[in-house]
Amino acid sequence: MFKKIKPDKWRHFEVGILMGLILQFFSWKIFTDNFWLSVAISAIIVIAVSYGFELFSKITGKGTYDFIDAVASVIGGIIGIALTLPFQL
């Protein structure tokens, strides 16, 4: 099943994980008093950056617009956020 996923989608997924890890770490440091706010802000930024990058590709014509790339990045970002949560609880 995983071999059917294109390498490009895996790269977006991996970048999403890194983005989620970094954003959640900094969000956690900024919003130390409100755990759920830090998670929500990180998730919103992951979604906005992932789709925004694809939208930028579509508008400028630089790169290839593919909504599934954004989905792969968001899935990776959510996993990246989730990887930090055990350290924050």
Side-chain angles (χ1 to χ4, degrees):
M1 177 177 148
F2 291 116
K3 290 189 180 210
K4 293 182 182 180
I5 299 173
K6 296 179 183 177
D8 175 50
K9 307 306 182 242
W10 282 113
R11 275 186 245 117
H12 282 273
F13 177 73
E14 292 163 355
V15 168
I17 290 174
L18 184 62
M19 181 171 45
L21 284 167
I22 292 169
L23 285 171
Q24 182 57 31
F25 175 76
F26 285 112
S27 179
W28 174 45
K29 291 296 183 186
I30 294 170
F31 301 103
T32 56
D33 296 337
N34 198 332
F35 171 76
W36 291 111
L37 180 64
S38 71
V39 172
I41 288 175
S42 296
I44 289 168
I45 293 173
V46 163
I47 293 167
V49 169
S50 298
Y51 187 67
F53 182 77
E54 294 302 318
L55 199 58
F56 177 79
S57 297
K58 182 177 185 177
I59 291 171
T60 62
K62 297 178 180 181
T64 305
Y65 171 80
D66 188 359
F67 180 73
I68 302 302
D69 286 348
V71 171
S73 296
V74 169
I75 292 170
I78 298 302
I79 290 172
I81 290 169
L83 288 173
T84 65
L85 297 183
F87 301 105
Q88 298 174 24
L89 295 176

